Amino acid sequence: MQKLSPNIDDKVIYVGLKGFSRYSDDNALSLDEIKELCKSKKVFVALNRVVEFDKIKKVVRELDCEGFIINDLGAIWKIKRDKELDNKTITSSVGLNPLNYLDIQFLEEIGVDVVVIPPEINDEVDCLSKTGNKIKIEAFEFALVEMFYKGKCLLSAYFDGISVKKSGICTKRCCRKWNVVMDKTVKSKSFKPKAIKFDVEKADLLKVEGRQFRSLNLKNLKGGNRYG
Amino acid sequence: MVELVTNVPTLEVLSKCSVEPYDAIYLGNPYCWDYDGNLISNFNDLEVAIEMLKEMGKKVYITTFAAPRNADLPKIFKLIDKALELNVDAIESTNYGVINYIKKEYDFRVHAGGFTNIYTSATVELLENLGVERIMPAYELPIEDIEKFKEYDVEIEVVVHGKIPLGISHNCFLLEFKDDVGMDCPHICKQEIWYKSDDLVLKPFGNATLSGKDLCMYEHIEKLNELNLDAYRIESISERISYREMVGKIYRKRLEGGFIKEDFEKLKSLAKYGICNGFYFNKAGQIYVGGLDG
């Protein structure tokens, strides 16, 4: 479970599975720990590193939990086509980077129940879903707005050989001091993520991004339905 | 024979260089609608460009904006209609919503580009099921992962040379520097601007940030040939006009002949900040692994 989770005592909690969730495994739980939690709580499990479907399928079969957060279109599609697995609530990770209503429509068609949208499109929430759509939209109430859209950054992989998508770790190369060079240096700049609190009234669920913080004051945030 | 493809952003570029080495051309710059002369925004130019390429016997593919928000969709719909009217051979998109829309509404040939999040066999199977004809696997996949996708009935295209996109942002960073550079949109992105931090280099270009180094598989082309892929792309969207002709000729010779040391040296000389292999060998993308040339 995320150690900083404000929902730790709630009936519904969100946890990462070691080896499968983004960012550090330090805050993730083992399969057995999650199974134990599932006996008393509604548990959603983040499997938001990109791995081949056979590995995802094994975990989804084994865990009797409420749902999963998944970062691979194909894995979501296959889970929802499998009669043994299709009762799980599936949240598509922000790493899938939906940007418009056609994306949301497509995610619903392949079986996504809840879609996490990038914070950059928070002000478009009410134009993302058509009336009658069952898919729920989850928006960041608090997020790090990064150099690139979440799910569209290969800097860690390019410079350090560590894939955010596959290894779940970001080496934060964007935070370096970069010289903007034409014939000579014209400016220095860092693309450090900006922590922004949003006012998102129309989303179905609110999410607080906290995985990259060591401490965070959540008192002023009304949502916190999810903390990831 | 594998198809050799490249991209051409404007009619001006197409008019000033030879695309003779290539079998097919992606028209348009997917990283900025406002790029001066961008063929995805200028339909008169697009019509002329398509006519020129067809006369040359080339296949014509139209690219679409890489990160479409709701406000971009009407422009994309118009572009799709135009592309169909002009009888192009395929439309490229990296947006799964747009890909799904084209297949459902028109059942037209679609190429899913390198930022479509194609990492797993399950996703390739999904795209095959949608009827997508060609995919470009995620840039950060090694050769062995790409090989797994061969079991599906979709064509596979990979980048063999050029600067690959490393990130897509929701705005153009270059506009932040317009006062420092003394140039505004659409002229600023025609300048050679780089981000440098010690030995790390990136190239901002519209809503994309590209690798500073040129991915180069010239020495290793046999390794890719073993996979029996369908298309090799030379990424030249941000390059000076002569680049795509020179690099195209070198790779055409490479595919039909063999390794020529002088050609390899030429490729290295064209890469201001050096060459790399991207992610094909399971290493950091900026690393270059030596091959035939030692």
Side-chain angles (χ1 to χ4, degrees):
Chain A
M1 128 196 25
Q2 298 293 341
K3 288 175 182 167
L4 298 171
S5 173
N7 298 327
I8 198 161
D9 296 323
D10 291 352
K11 286 180 183 171
V12 181
I13 60 169
Y14 297 83
V15 301
L17 172 62
K18 275 189 200 302
F20 284 83
S21 70
R22 281 185 68 190
Y23 303 105
S24 173
D25 271 346
D26 295 346
N27 290 330
L29 300 189
S30 69
L31 209 57
D32 287 339
E33 286 172 316
I34 295 175
K35 281 180 183 171
E36 191 58 35
L37 269 177
C38 289
K39 291 175 185 170
S40 57
K41 295 176 189 296
K42 282 186 175 179
V43 180
F44 287 83
V45 183
L47 307 177
N48 48 4
R49 282 186 211 172
V50 176
V51 294
E52 284 291 349
F53 177 64
D54 53 349
K55 288 184 184 163
I56 298 256
K57 187 177 178 180
K58 208 174 157 189
V59 171
V60 174
R61 267 203 176 136
E62 207 162 325
L63 283 176
D64 186 21
C65 64
E66 199 67 19
F68 297 93
I69 298 138
I70 295 181
N71 197 0
D72 183 61
L73 291 171
I76 294 169
W77 176 66
K78 293 198 123 193
I79 286 170
K80 288 296 186 174
R81 280 160 53 103
D82 188 322
K83 284 183 180 162
E84 283 180 42
L85 311 174
D86 69 354
N87 59 335
K88 309 288 186 188
T89 298
I90 299 296
T91 299
S92 62
S93 164
V94 70
L96 285 174
N97 193 239
L99 290 176
N100 57 60
Y101 70 86
L102 290 178
D103 286 334
I104 307 289
Q105 201 172 301
F106 177 64
L107 290 172
E108 179 163 14
E109 281 173 28
I110 65 169
V112 169
D113 300 291
V114 179
V115 52
V116 183
I117 60 167
E120 289 90 343
I121 63 168
N122 270 359
D123 57 354
E124 297 171 30
V125 168
D126 53 344
C127 310
L128 290 173
S129 185
K130 287 182 181 169
T131 312
N133 283 11
K134 288 180 183 167
I135 195 165
K136 288 191 166 65
I137 292 184
E138 182 171 320
F140 285 94
E141 186 187 15
F142 181 84
L144 291 177
V145 176
E146 298 170 62
M147 182 178 186
F148 303 124
Y149 283 120
K150 294 174 194 295
K152 299 267 193 207
C153 176
L154 304 181
L155 291 187
S156 299
Y158 180 71
F159 289 125
D160 303 304
I162 298 170
S163 164
V164 176
K165 288 263 192 193
K166 296 191 287 179
S167 313
I169 297 164
C170 172
T171 58
K172 299 193 183 336
R173 290 292 188 169
C174 57
C175 299
R176 290 173 74 100
K177 181 182 156 196
W178 291 92
N179 290 323
V180 182
V181 180
M182 217 158 86
D183 298 325
K184 55 183 175 30
T185 298
V186 294
K187 193 172 187 168
S188 291
K189 180 168 175 67
S190 165
F191 297 93
K192 206 173 170 183
K194 290 179 186 138
I196 298 177
K197 182 182 176 300
F198 296 90
D199 190 13
V200 203
E201 292 293 337
K202 291 175 180 169
D204 299 298
L205 293 156
L206 295 177
K207 185 183 180 82
V208 175
E209 181 167 31
R211 288 171 295 186
Q212 300 184 59
F213 290 101
R214 292 208 175 275
S215 62
L216 180 66
N217 183 356
L218 297 160
K219 283 179 189 166
N220 296 325
L221 300 177
K222 60 188 169 200
N225 307 53
R226 292 197 178 189
Y227 189 80
Chain B
M1 186 66 154
V2 67
E3 188 178 276
L4 191 62
V5 303
T6 192
N7 27 34
V8 170
T10 67
L11 181 60
E12 184 193 0
V13 169
L14 184 64
S15 306
K16 288 182 179 172
C17 74
S18 165
V19 291
E20 191 272 330
Y22 298 99
D23 301 297
I25 306 292
Y26 285 93
L27 291 178
N29 174 353
Y31 305 125
C32 176
W33 290 107
D34 298 326
Y35 185 78
D36 199 15
N38 193 348
L39 287 164
I40 64 173
S41 309
N42 293 273
F43 290 173
N44 290 338
D45 286 1
L46 182 65
E47 207 164 329
V48 177
I50 291 171
E51 205 176 306
M52 284 169 69
L53 289 171
K54 285 190 173 175
E55 274 175 20
M56 290 182 236
K58 308 294 180 190
K59 284 187 184 167
V60 183
Y61 309 140
I62 302 289
T63 197
T64 54
F65 184 56
R69 306 265 284 261
N70 272 356
D72 297 301
L73 292 178
K75 287 192 272 186
I76 289 185
F77 297 153
K78 278 186 193 165
L79 178 62
I80 293 167
D81 287 342
K82 195 69 187 173
L84 296 174
E85 180 195 320
L86 296 174
N87 210 13
V88 301
D89 295 286
I91 299 173
E92 180 193 45
S93 174
T94 56
N95 181 264
Y96 42 85
V98 170
I99 290 168
N100 187 42
Y101 171 82
I102 297 171
K103 291 313 297 184
K104 279 175 102 172
E105 295 295 319
Y106 302 101
D107 194 21
F108 190 68
R109 184 180 170 89
V110 170
H111 295 180
F115 256 120
T116 318
N117 271 312
I118 304 169
Y119 280 84
T120 64
S121 299
T123 295
V124 179
E125 192 180 333
L126 166 62
L127 293 172
E128 178 194 42
N129 197 269
L130 286 180
V132 170
E133 282 81 359
R134 182 181 291 185
I135 60 160
M136 185 180 272
Y139 295 107
E140 61 174 320
L141 291 186
I143 286 176
E144 60 266 29
D145 284 3
I146 295 168
E147 189 173 15
K148 289 181 202 160
F149 301 159
K150 282 299 293 176
E151 70 175 275
Y152 299 96
D153 187 20
V154 288
E155 296 175 9
I156 299 176
E157 177 177 321
V158 296
V159 176
V160 293
H161 200 92
K163 294 177 179 62
I164 52 171
L166 298 177
I168 305 286
S169 53
H170 75 288
N171 53 10
C172 173
F173 295 130
L174 289 174
L175 294 178
E176 290 182 36
F177 317 126
K178 61 184 182 186
D179 293 336
D180 307 287
V181 172
M183 244 175 269
D184 204 345
C185 177
H187 308 294
I188 190 167
C189 57
K190 297 258 170 113
Q191 307 304 309
E192 284 229 335
I193 296 177
W194 309 86
Y195 299 150
K196 293 175 78 177
S197 180
D198 298 329
D199 59 338
L200 309 183
V201 186
L202 295 167
K203 186 176 187 186
F205 189 66
N207 284 39
T209 296
L210 311 176
S211 59
K213 293 182 178 179
D214 288 15
L215 181 153
C216 176
M217 288 298 280
Y218 184 83
E219 280 193 290
H220 301 284
I221 209 78
E222 283 77 13
K223 284 197 170 64
L224 291 175
N225 288 346
E226 282 170 18
L227 303 188
N228 199 20
L229 302 175
D230 301 281
Y232 291 161
R233 185 189 297 216
I234 290 168
E235 280 287 358
S236 59
I237 198 76
S238 72
E239 302 293 344
R240 54 201 173 277
I241 289 173
S242 57
Y243 179 97
R244 59 182 56 72
E245 184 178 342
M246 285 190 280
V247 176
K249 277 182 182 167
I250 288 171
Y251 272 88
R252 175 56 70 196
K253 275 194 279 175
R254 181 75 173 95
L255 291 173
E256 291 172 357
F259 179 87
I260 301 170
K261 190 172 169 56
E262 292 71 31
D263 282 349
F264 183 45
E265 293 303 321
K266 180 71 183 170
L267 291 174
K268 286 197 274 188
S269 75
L270 290 171
K272 186 172 183 177
Y273 291 106
I275 57 173
C276 64
N277 293 125
F279 303 94
Y280 291 119
F281 299 123
N282 244 326
K283 295 181 184 299
Q286 65 163 346
I287 288 174
Y288 187 78
V289 178
L292 298 171
D293 198 33

